Amino acid sequence: MPEKSLPIGKRINNLIEALPDFDRDKEVSMGGRAAYDYISVENLRKTIKTLMPQHGIVVRCHADQVSEHHDDRTHFVTLQVAYHFFCDDIALDAQEPLRVCVIAQGADTGDKAAYKAMTGSWKYAVGFLTLMAGSGDEPENGIVKQSSS
């Protein structure tokens, strides 16, 4: 159990020190020409979900839909999401949370675009919060490996 007197910043620092090294456990192929590895949100979520209570940290989330549009096949959603990190042993109205804001986009041919945007926002908010390095190769910058397929 965390010390009752620790502020949220110190608790997050302690969480950062407890984080394991994450393996890039997923791969995305881009049309069979190239691929890149990344840390899955499932891997990140499972670890953070275990560590946050151990360090006395709770989170609240508020999302606003910024835009939504469709083309012939794809549904696109852009969200602005604010994550507020609090100490679990202090009344919420008696403390100033650490706030992380993220703009995230999701695209899907079905109804999962908003879910994909929320999933991405959580991954980047936690990555920012914990000072994690990038979660994979950067295909936008031309740093990719050749696909094995």
Side-chain angles (χ1 to χ4, degrees), residues 78-148:
T78 302
L79 299 175
Q80 180 176 329
V81 186
Y83 292 93
H84 301 262
F85 295 87
F86 295 91
C87 300
D88 68 354
D89 57 346
I90 302 171
L92 296 182
D93 60 353
Q95 60 180 304
E96 184 70 28
L98 182 90
R99 185 172 180 220
V100 177
C101 295
V102 179
I103 294 180
Q105 296 179 320
D108 192 67
T109 56
D111 62 353
K112 296 181 182 77
Y115 172 78
K116 290 179 177 180
M118 282 300 295
T119 300
S121 75
W122 173 247
K123 184 176 177 181
Y124 285 102
V126 169
F128 175 81
L129 178 75
T130 59
L131 309 174
M132 288 176 53
S135 62
D137 301 321
E138 297 296 334
E140 294 86 2
N141 297 332
I143 304 170
V144 295
K145 65 181 182 181
Q146 291 302 315
S147 179
S148 56

